[in-house]
Every structure is written in structure tokens, then in C-alpha cells.
Amino acid sequence: MGLSFLAPFFFGGVALLAAPFLIHQIRRPEREPLAFSSILFIPNIPKEVIERRKLQHILLMLLRMLLFLLLALAFSRPFWTAPAAFDVNDGPLRHLILVDASYSMGAGGAFDEAKAEALSILGDIPEEEPVGVVVFGRSHTTAAAIESESDPEVGSHDRARLAIQSAELTDENTAYLPALQHAQALLTAGLDEESGASTRKILYVISDFQKNGMPEQYTGWKLSPGIQLKTVQVEYGDTVNYALTDVGLKKMQDGGLRILGKVKNWSEDDADQLEIKMILGGVEQAANVLDVKGGNASQTSFTFDVTTNDPLEGRLQLTGDGVTPDNVRYFTWNPPRKRNVLILADEKPGLVYPSAMFMSRALPKRLDIPWVASVASQIELPEALGNPAQRPAVIIVSGLDGLRQETAAQLLEFTRNGGQLLLTLDEGTDYERLNELLLSPIGAPITGLRHDAQRESRYEVLAWLNFEHEIFVPFAGARFNDFSSLRFHNHYTMDIGEDTEDLRVLARFDDDSPAMVEARVGEGRVVIWPFAVLLDWTNLPKTARFVPLLYQTLSYLSGFQEADVTWNVAQRVGADSVVFDEAGITVISAPGLDQPVEVTLEDVGANANLLLRHAGFFRTRTTTDGDWLQVDAVNVVPSEGDPTPVSLAEFELKLSSAPLALDEDMDALISGAPSDFIVRTEYGRYFLVFLVLLLLLESWYMSALKG
Amino acid sequence: MAPTLSSIDPAQLAKIADLQLLARTVVEGMLSGLHRSPHSGSSIEFAQYRPYTQGDDPRHIDWNLYGRTDRLHIKQFQEETNLRCTLILDCSASMGYGSGDLNKFQYARMLAACMAMILHKQRDAVGFIAHHEALLDYVPPRTAPHHLNRILVDLDNLDAAGQTDATGALHYLGDVLQPRGMVVLISDLLHPVEETIKHLKSLRARRHDVLVIQISDTAEQTFPFERTTTFVDMESGGEQYAVPDTVREQYLENRESHFALLRQECLASEIDLAEFTTDEPLDRALYFFLRHRAHALMTTSLKQRRNTAGGTT
């Protein structure tokens, strides 16, 4: 009972109280007289004014001392322990033992010690009182329930003993909050309001009490005041632990992949000649040796060439410490998911550099290009659209020999049904016909041609770009936003004013005419470039801006996003988080999973959730969209290796509102003798509020004294 | 035009340790701009010829010599005056006060040295009295060549200490000085008005021209202090606790009424009084002194003529 401090070190700041005292004593006016030529003209001050002045200075000094006291108190985080207002000493007892099975407990025999502690606690509990056991890491498992109406054996000591003995370490990290919430639910299960109030509930937490197991933010949840918390801390001594805490993959310009591995030495001693192996597809490819100073981290890297179009599965691995789960870090590389792009262009025999040529050369058939481009004429369009396997995600209209009425209708239908269209115009386009067949229904008609005959010396530049649009977001920033090198010797004009939901201008020429327009048509979208991608119309295909701009436009239209999914052990995977947006079914195989599980888009919910229990690879396969296979890595949470402990006082204060029992109370409670429950309340934040108020008071008082 | 030394910041000037050197450089620099003697007439004696240069007054050209030599020469005269000037320097402890680099006493000493140098160069008899509550030094007015040196040496050996009692010095001066001289009192005047005025009036009664140069510090004029403190009188050692922000207005009022009374009394007694602060260049005070000296010379001359005329009729 009484006052204690969560951070008692800061209470040493009380010594600062001496500072205002010393300053006021040293700088007292009567101790610092000022020689003046004559006091002939200085009026006398009444004695009471002087006395009042001295009193005011003493008050100011006390105020400042109080400020420092509050500062020290606020930082030392005092809390008050007091008897709880209730007494449940006479009711029946329930016990629940929480055993930490996170992988850090594997160090130095801590888990065996935890199990021994649990058995010891169990031995001290009278046989007639029900006991439950929960094993927890990030998730939790009820190894032995406390009560069951159907099974009288539930809650027995034998079941609890068996559960403790058979408990196993997991690959999970520690999370105290869900475990305590689960424990509370078990302890209060089957109790109504009356019986709940009269039943004494005791919760034992046996853990290494790592700081990273605490909730990252204050959640507002605390253990019910009716549950008595007893903590038992196990220690693993000076166990050495090295961990691979991160792996990053970087695509290199020569087509290879570079793997960066970060190695952390959680121990205090230096690690010399630590061997890190890189294993691909189960075969060791390379090994590096690394020195890591105690408490520090170092990086190592491996490179290899990608020669396959299949996903890569690999891992980095080290050996030689007492905690094995974080010695392996899995990684994967998935080749870009290919989308079909159709370049719709007619033959133009007289043209040396037709715009379709620029488009197709910008989309070569390469592993790292996520599009498969093909060229078709207007005649071939129905055939291309009719084949489901080759149905394009995006059609680029680039160089038509006069728009056919059938083609316009097919393009409109394609777009209305969710297809995406990049429409570039051509030299000599009959824009009135184009408007009538295609652009007027879209709502973005061409109004004219900028110049009837273009000259080399006369050109427009892009005067404005919408850098907030998804296409231009990667170009935002001082290094990339310069498009001034693009010249447009001629372009078609459009009359589009304010943006609407269906029609947006993405870029404008310096004559204010739109240079890029996006329109929504049914389920699909159309991006219009109102100029011909020809060298006598624009230098765009010759500049370094062309390919990035085309890729960004296609990425935006095809909805492709780089797969960048990382999973942690004990994470629950819902169907909504793994199924591709347009794919119907995903087949999942995951580490620790005996057989594949099918998850449908309609099946999003608790049933579709899948718990990733171990590190390894998590594979999903779409049964539509070309039978696409995606492999993701599942890894342990590396911070679990951090041995920094949380103080038991902080643990109890943050997660248990009250009551907390001291050891002597626990003994008394277990034997059935009357005892007090304890309430702990932290006051640091109140001191901070008072501190701010006093600062305001002090500044006001100072100004009043000067005035 | 380059500034003369007299217009330099007095704090910088005070770094010249040799008082004689300081006074000479200041005075020579300042007097080089004054072409004509303030006084001419029967009491001048031929000194030498000098070739005429542009800017000289044509009235002083000796036309007879021009007729003989066909060259223009200026006829120079050695001035003979009977001006006796006595400098009275207040050496009380309050003169030792200074809020800046220079205290009032240092400023007053430089000023006195320069005045003595000017008077000596004009062949005036210059005397000197230093005092606080006691008479510290008295040098009677003389024109002897080494007389100035004695005054400067005495000035150099003085320091500000003790309490002010100008009445004693003025009373003594009244006894020892011949009438119809010039008396210059350099003081901060931080003592009761009545006694000071009484003795200044007695000097006037003996037909002396009296000039009072009041030296002040800017801190005395504005009372710029901020922190509450105890002020200690440099002369009496008395203490006064004060909150500057509270008493400033009253202080300034008290000071103003003290010096207003003094100015009023001086005006009534035809005593010139001017106040100078220690951060002002010396030339302001020196020009003020020169103007007064010129006036004193004219008065003396008129009186002499009047007396002479009275004697012959």
C-alpha cells in the first residue's frame, strides 16, 4: 500500500527544487546593491511595500519549486496502491494459468522453467478448485478449459497438468493483450452477474515479460477488477541470440536480383564469423560470413540471375544460437503478372515510323514487363475480342486508317463492359466522324486542329499536369516533374472545362487545350491523347518520358499493382486479403496446413480466415485469370528476439486496472484467509496537466510583478 | 571633412593616457578651424609678418609693406588680455559614477584639461581648484609657460572620492581671487541648490563671469534600471530600496525640479549653465566655453575702456 514510481530514476529530478531556491537567494535585491551617484531623487518606498515585495518573491520561488516538483513527479510516473472497494473473499475460486509459448521462451530453457512454475502453482491450488490452462503467443490456445457443463472432468487438476506438460513452443511472437482478453473470457464464462461478483478469479501469467509483447498503443482495455493477477517472470540468462530481422529484394538493371539480409545481434557480446546461407528452392546457393557487434545489426547481400518465369522461393539462414525460429527468413519473388494489351493499328505502308511501332517497341516480350502486347487491325478486332484467353485488358488505339463504324461500336461495348482504352489520334483523322462514332458518346469531342500545317519552329509544351492523378503521382517531386522537354508541333483541340466525375483533364498544353483526358464509360475508362504519336507531330516517342508515361498509363488502366505482401506467423488471412480483385477462387496452401483450402470471394468471413502457424511459404492460385500462382513468404516477427523486459509494475498497471495482489496477499488468498485486493492508479498525466496550469500561472504572476 | 579629435567619442579619447597630449591634440584640432581672434583693438601688440594666403582677412594686410615690397603680408599681433580664468573641478565620489565606459570625473577631467590648454594658448591666466568636501588643490591663475603643465599634472593625480561641498571651495575662491575674472565650475551639481546658488551669487557680486558646466550620465537622466534593487549613494553610502519601474516617474520629476530651480536661479544671476552627458563629444562643451570666454573678454575690454575713459575725463 502506498506510493510507488514506475520510473523512479526521474524522481531524482526533485533535486532541481534547489535551483529556484538558490537563484532567488543569490539574486535577492538586498544582496546585490547597485552603486548610484546619488539617491537624492529616488523616492522612499513605504516599508509595507518592501515587505509585500519580499513575500511576492517568496511566493514566486515556491511556485517555481512546485513546477520542478511536478515535473519530476510527472516523469517518475507515480502510482498509488490502495485496497479495492470490494471484497470477494468468501466466494468460490477459479484459477487460470497463462503460459507464454512465444519463440523467445525457447532461450535458455525458459519454457521448461515456465512449465515447472505452472506445475508448481497447480500443486499449490486445492484440488476442488477448478483450473484452466491457456498457452499463448500472438494467438492463444485453450489447453485446458475451466468449466464445462457437459464434461465434469473439465477444470480438473489432471487435465490442467496434462495440458501444461504437453504445451509446446510456437513460432509466434508475444501479445499479452489478446491473451488476457481471452483469459478474462474464460474466467467469467458461465457466470451470471451475481455469481460473477461472488466468485474469486485468479489469473497467473508465466512469461519472460518482453516489452514488445505490450500493446503498441494504449487500447483502453484492462483486465476486469474482479480478476486477481499474479505474475511469474522466467529468465533465460545470458543466452546468445542472433536473428535475421529483414530481407529485401531489389531488381537490378542487368535483370538479376539482389537479396539484402539484415542480421541483428540481440546479445551483448560480439558475434564473429557468423555464417549466413542463401538457399533457393531447397538448394544452398551461397554463404556469407559476417561480424556483428553486440546489440547492433549488420547487412549482407547475395545476387543471382532470374532465369525462370515461375515464382522463386528462398530463404536466408544462420546458425549457432539458442533461439532458432528467427534464424531463418523466407523470401519470394513473383514474376510480374501478365496482362494482354492490344495495339489496334492499321497497316500504313508509306509511313517509316508509325505510332504503333513506338507502342509495340515500348512493350517488348520480357519477363519483367507485366504486359503482353499484340497488334491487330480493325478487321482483326472482333477475333481478338472474341477469344477469352487472349481478351485484352487494355486496347491502345494507335494509327487507324479511318475509323470504321463497327470498330467504334466494338470499342464502346468493350469499354462499357469494363475494358480500358488508350486512344491516340492520327494524322488526318476525320475528327467529325470520330466524334460522331466514338467521342461524342463518351462526352469528350474534338473541336478542331490546332494548326492546319505544322512547322518545326512552332510547338506547344505541357503547361500543366495533374500530379495528384495516379498516372502522374510517380512523377511528382523535383527530380521527375520536368516535362518541359516534350514538344507538340500540332494537336487536336478539345473544349473541356471543370472536371466532373466522368470526365477529367489530366494535362493541358500551354494554349489551355487538354493534352490528356480521362473519361469513364460504363464500367471502363478511356484515356485520350489528342495528338498523333508521330515524330513530325511530337518528340514524345524520342524522349525518355515516353516509356514511363506509357507504363504508368497502362498500369493505371490495367489496374496492375506490384505484389508486395508479407505475412507474419500467427496472422489470420482472410479471403478478401488474398483474392485478386477480379479472380473468382483462390486455392491456398500455407505452412502448417495439411491440405489446400478453397476460399471464395463470397466466403469472406470467419470461416475463410486461415491462421498462419509457422514460417514458410504461402501459396495462392487463381483458377481464373490464367491460373495465376502467387507465392508469399511467412516469417516470424523478428522483434520477438529483443530481450528488453517490461517492468512488472508497468505490465500490471497498463493491462490490469485492479486488483493486483502482492505475494503475501496471494498466499493468504489461496488458503482462504481474508485478504485485501489492491487498486493501483497512475497519476503522471494529472501532474502534467497541473504543470501546464502552473506554468501559465507563473508567467502571469511574473508579468503582474513586473507591472 | 575629417572629424577633429574633439568630436570623437570621449570614451575612445579617454584611452589616451597622457592628459597633456590629449588636451593638446584636442585643442589644436579644434582651434585650427577658428581663424580670427575673438578680440582685437588697442590691447594688441605687433608680433610678426606673415605672407598673405587665401582666406586671410584683407583688413590685416599691411599696405605700407606692400608699397615697399610689392608683396602682400599679413600683420600679426600678439594678443594681450587680462582675462583670469579659474577652473573649479568637483572631485566628489558621485562624479565617479558612470554607466558606460567613461565616468563623469574622467569626462570632467578631460574637459578641464582642454579648457586649460585653450586658455593657456590664448595667453590667458588660468587657475585651478579641485575639491570635494575639502579643498584638494589650488593653483592660482598665471600665464607662465610652465603653469599649464602644473595644472595638467595636478589634474592627472586627482580621483573622485569624498562628499560634495562646493560651497567651501567657492567660499575660499571668493576670498582669494581678484575680482572681474572668469570662473568655470565643472560639477554634477548633486547637492542642495541653495548653498551652491548662494556662493555662485557671491562670485557674481565680485563681478566674475561665472560659467557652470554640469556633467551628467545618461543613466541619471533616464533611470533605465529594470530589476528591483537597493541603490547605494556613492557619496554618503546611504541605501535606498527601489522598484525602478515604480519610482522612475517620481525620480525624473524630482531631478527635473532640482535642476529647474538651479537653472532658474542661475538665469536670474546671469550665470551660464549647460548640461553635458559623458557620451557627448567634448567639442560641444568646449565651444560653449569658448563662446562664454569671448563674451567675457568683450565685457572685460568694455569695462577697461569705460574705466580708462572715466579716468581721463
Side-chain angles (χ1 to χ4, degrees), chain B residues 223-288:
Chain B
F223 207 64
F225 309 103
E226 288 184 350
R227 288 197 51 231
T228 302
T229 190
T230 301
F231 291 90
V232 180
D233 193 304
M234 291 176 74
E235 290 189 9
S236 67
E239 293 187 353
Q240 180 67 59
Y241 181 83
V243 184
D245 287 341
T246 311
V247 303
R248 181 175 295 113
E249 196 176 339
Q250 185 63 46
Y251 168 90
L252 295 176
E253 270 181 30
N254 291 346
R255 186 175 189 278
E256 177 55 27
S257 60
H258 173 88
F259 289 114
L261 178 62
L262 195 65
R263 279 195 298 274
Q264 193 179 344
E265 292 289 341
C266 287
L267 192 64
S269 308
E270 295 182 351
I271 297 169
D272 279 350
L273 184 146
E275 183 181 12
F276 300 95
T277 53
T278 53
D279 55 355
E280 285 185 88
L282 285 173
D283 55 359
R284 267 201 65 214
L286 291 176
Y287 281 124
F288 174 74

Side-chain angles (χ1 to χ4, degrees), chain B residues 148-202:
Chain B
L148 174 69
N149 199 36
R150 182 184 165 189
I151 291 173
L152 293 179
V153 169
D154 285 3
L155 269 174
D156 217 8
N157 292 329
L158 289 171
D159 211 348
Q163 297 195 32
T164 312
D165 184 14
T167 55
L170 294 173
H171 185 74
Y172 177 79
L173 194 65
D175 291 345
V176 298
L177 273 188
Q178 290 180 21
R180 293 176 186 161
M182 178 177 171
V183 177
V184 180
L185 173 63
I186 305 172
S187 168
D188 55 8
L189 301 176
L190 292 176
H191 32 83
V193 177
E194 294 76 15
E195 285 295 307
T196 311
I197 286 296
K198 181 183 166 189
H199 289 281
L200 287 174
K201 279 181 176 176
S202 74

Side-chain angles (χ1 to χ4, degrees), chain A residues 164-243:
Chain A
I164 293 167
Q165 287 168 345
S166 59
E168 288 184 356
L169 274 173
T170 66
D171 283 351
E172 301 179 10
N173 60 313
T174 315
Y176 292 111
L177 183 66
L180 290 178
Q181 287 172 330
H182 180 65
Q184 178 168 309
L186 285 179
L187 280 166
T188 55
L191 297 174
D192 56 20
E193 192 174 336
E194 189 180 344
S195 60
S198 62
T199 302
R200 285 177 288 164
K201 299 169 276 285
I202 303 175
L203 175 63
Y204 309 86
V205 180
I206 306 167
S207 172
D208 52 1
F209 289 100
Q210 289 171 283
K211 201 174 183 66
N212 56 46
M214 297 295 286
E216 287 179 4
Q217 291 174 332
Y218 180 66
T219 60
W221 184 91
K222 286 186 174 184
L223 204 62
S224 163
I227 297 173
Q228 185 183 357
L229 182 66
K230 165 83 173 170
T231 52
V232 178
Q233 184 165 21
V234 292
E235 294 179 355
Y236 29 69
D238 300 327
T239 305
V240 173
N241 183 19
Y242 315 124

Side-chain angles (χ1 to χ4, degrees), chain A residues 27 32 34 36-37 41 44, chain B residues 220 227 229-230 232 240 254:
Chain A
R27 299 189 63 191
E32 195 184 9
L34 182 67
F36 196 55
S37 53
F41 309 126
N44 282 322
Chain B
E220 292 172 336
R227 288 197 51 231
T229 190
T230 301
V232 180
Q240 180 67 59
N254 291 346

